[in-house]
Amino acid sequence: MTISQTRNIGLPLMNLLKLKGFSILLQLQLEEQLLRTSSENWCILNDGTSDPTVVMGVSGKPAELLEIESVVLDQVPVIRRFTGGGTVLVDDGTIFVTFICSKDAIPGLQPYPRPIMSWSSLLYNKVFQGIGDFHLRENDYVFGERKFGGNAQSIIRSRWIHHTSFLWDYKVGNMSYLKLPKRAPEYRLSRGHLDFICRMKDYMTRSNFIERTVEATGFYFSVRSVDLEAIETPSNIKFCPSSRLLAKQELEAAARAL
Amino acid sequence: MASRLMWASRAASYLRISVFHRGFSSVVKDLKYADSHEWVKIDGNSATIGITDHAQDHLGDVVYVELPEVGASVTQGGGFGAVESVKATSDIYSPVSGKVVEVNEELSNSPGLVNSSPYDNGWIIKVEVSDAGEIKNLMDADQYSNFCDEEDSKH
């Protein structure tokens, strides 16, 4: 038996689903389904999403967070997701990494926001070891003072999800769809988007990041790859995802109400 | 922690109940508790429900509370809403079964009441209880206090 095989004994199983260019709306709906109806652990890696899309957290108010006129004019889709947190503009330059775990999957980890966030930073410390000045700053992943990864979570009775959108690259023009949020981390110091964020592509290739993330996951779990087609919704469970696309009329009504 | 002790004592004095402190989180004596960290105050067939000091402390600053509709049914152990604390949504579960008769509208403008006053002004819903017998499934203050100690010591 090899050393890595020996180390895997006793580690909880993690299903790894690797996607590329997958719709972020479908990804979010799949994630919520797996959180609420599965009892297994899942890691979802989506390398880019096809269309530029705004994704708000569960309590996001479009009129406060978005330049609605531009969003509507340019027909940018706006999604409200089921997890907490802020607003992001995602596209083919975004890499998504999601962990969905049962509460006992990580020994000694309390299923609350801050412990989960801290655990995630341990995993990503391994990913970014020797690459840039990586750390968890408040609830963001940063190189130095600049954010390149945003996090959100949802915690239910016996399971939790922690998902991240990584800015491997971004288009400067797309940032103009987002207003400066009222609720911002202290370290942001009122910086505009372009002074606050940085690109992961300046530090590593996409494939290197994905490879290192899978390897770091293997430190905590026994990882096995699965195909999307193999994931079934249990027929005896009724499930309706809450992540949804906001209608144009909703966005326009929100803008009028401001 | 000193301010937490002070508000707990004030709340206790107002509610005319005794409070004891289990280390870092407060527990209120005459309430019942669920293992998902919600409390319930029973008054006849009326129940007031919120989340405990232990829960609010572990969740962090609450920025949004997702409330159910008045008239919605709740079941013991079933989810009825969620709280958002910075980056996380956390489901909240009803300790009793029944019908929602009132929701705390104050939480829409002041979600932080859940943190500053979890057992008083931070109440979340009021329920007309359909099965008083279910209350025996809940923990009293001592049991809940021990439950929290055990949970925290495992981590």
Side-chain angles (χ1 to χ4, degrees):
Chain A
M1 197 180 284
T2 64
I3 292 171
S4 62
Q5 285 172 325
T6 315
R7 193 165 62 75
N8 272 349
I9 291 173
L11 291 178
L13 198 58
M14 172 66 79
N15 297 302
L16 173 66
L17 178 66
K18 285 169 92 171
L19 304 165
K20 189 169 173 60
F22 195 67
S23 153
I24 185 58
L25 178 61
L26 292 178
Q27 178 184 338
L28 289 166
Q29 292 178 341
L30 173 64
E31 288 180 358
E32 194 178 1
Q33 176 197 316
L34 292 174
L35 174 70
R36 292 192 176 276
T37 70
S38 170
S39 56
E40 298 178 15
N41 303 312
W42 298 86
C43 174
I44 299 169
L45 259 157
N46 185 14
D47 187 4
T49 192
S50 39
D51 300 316
T53 304
V54 169
V55 183
M56 296 190 306
V58 69
S59 64
K61 296 190 173 93
E64 289 179 7
L65 296 165
L66 309 179
E67 298 292 353
I68 294 188
E69 220 175 277
S70 308
V71 165
V72 169
L73 192 69
D74 294 346
Q75 297 181 301
V76 180
V78 177
I79 291 171
R80 178 175 281 121
R81 66 179 185 265
F82 68 101
T83 52
T87 308
V88 289
L89 194 301
V90 300
D91 58 18
D92 56 4
T94 312
I95 304 178
F96 303 92
V97 183
T98 298
F99 293 97
I100 301 168
C101 293
S102 293
K103 69 173 184 168
D104 297 324
I106 308 288
L109 179 66
Q110 278 205 317
Y112 290 108
R114 285 172 294 212
I116 295 168
M117 191 72 74
S118 296
W119 170 78
S120 78
S121 73
L122 296 179
L123 186 142
Y124 285 110
N125 271 335
K126 294 183 190 309
V127 175
F128 298 110
Q129 198 156 32
I131 297 174
D133 175 26
F134 167 78
H135 45 275
L136 174 68
R137 190 77 191 264
E138 295 182 47
N139 297 296
D140 299 333
Y141 301 141
V142 300
F143 287 128
E145 296 292 312
R146 289 193 177 229
K147 175 180 177 177
F148 70 95
N151 296 298
Q153 301 168 336
S154 182
I155 302 167
I156 64 173
R157 189 188 296 281
S158 56
R159 289 167 67 71
W160 51 264
I161 178 172
H162 176 98
H163 59 191
T164 310
S165 57
F166 286 97
L167 283 172
W168 187 77
D169 194 7
Y170 61 82
K171 296 174 182 59
V172 168
N174 284 347
M175 295 299 136
S176 63
Y177 292 122
L178 306 179
K179 289 183 175 172
L180 264 182
K182 279 185 195 169
R183 216 165 63 217
E186 281 181 27
Y187 81 98
R188 181 164 182 159
L189 300 171
S190 307
R191 285 179 281 169
H193 294 298
L194 300 178
D195 290 326
F196 177 53
I197 56 178
C198 66
R199 294 176 168 91
M200 227 163 77
K201 69 187 277 194
D202 295 336
Y203 294 85
M204 62 204 309
T205 65
R206 292 174 96 123
S207 56
N208 192 16
F209 168 68
I210 289 168
E211 220 172 271
R212 291 174 77 126
T213 300
V214 173
E215 196 183 318
T217 305
F219 187 81
Y220 296 95
F221 299 94
S222 176
V223 178
R224 71 169 178 195
S225 287
V226 299
D227 293 326
L228 183 61
E229 293 71 31
I231 299 172
E232 291 171 356
T233 311
S235 55
N236 60 337
I237 296 173
K238 253 191 343 188
F239 174 74
C240 192
S242 59
S243 298
R244 64 180 186 87
L245 202 57
L246 269 59
K248 180 180 164 196
Q249 297 89 316
E250 284 180 270
L251 295 171
E252 288 171 339
R256 283 194 298 271
L258 196 63
Chain B
M1 186 168 162
S3 61
R4 197 180 290 137
L5 293 174
M6 198 157 57
W7 72 250
S9 300
R10 282 188 190 154
S13 174
Y14 174 72
L15 295 166
R16 291 182 200 156
I17 48 183
S18 44
V19 173
F20 56 91
H21 303 290
R22 47 159 304 277
F24 300 102
S25 296
S26 289
V27 182
V28 171
K29 193 162 185 272
D30 293 329
L31 305 180
K32 293 290 189 186
Y33 298 86
D35 62 6
S36 44
H37 301 286
E38 292 84 12
W39 58 266
V40 59
K41 180 170 180 250
I42 305 290
D43 187 3
N45 73 338
S46 175
T48 305
I49 293 163
I51 66 169
T52 65
D53 185 35
H54 178 277
Q56 71 77 21
D57 185 50
H58 281 67
L59 290 176
D61 292 340
V62 173
V63 298
Y64 175 71
V65 182
E66 188 181 285
L67 297 165
E69 297 285 329
V70 171
S73 294
V74 292
T75 54
Q76 188 177 59
F80 70 84
V83 295
E84 183 186 358
S85 50
V86 192
K87 297 288 183 180
T89 59
S90 300
D91 279 3
I92 37 182
Y93 302 91
S94 183
V96 295
S97 301
K99 189 172 76 172
V100 177
V101 295
E102 195 179 344
V103 301
N104 188 351
E105 304 277 7
E106 283 297 313
L107 297 179
S108 300
N109 292 323
S110 306
L113 287 171
V114 172
N115 297 114
S116 61
S117 184
Y119 297 116
D120 189 10
N121 296 326
W123 66 272
I124 301 175
I125 60 171
K126 292 188 179 178
V127 168
E128 185 183 281
V129 176
S130 59
D131 183 356
E134 282 182 335
I135 293 161
K136 68 179 186 317
N137 300 331
L138 302 173
M139 292 181 270
D140 64 24
D142 284 337
Q143 289 167 329
Y144 176 65
S145 191
N146 291 334
F147 173 77
C148 290
D149 283 340
E150 277 172 29
E151 200 178 73
D152 285 344
S153 69
K154 281 186 210 164
H155 301 99

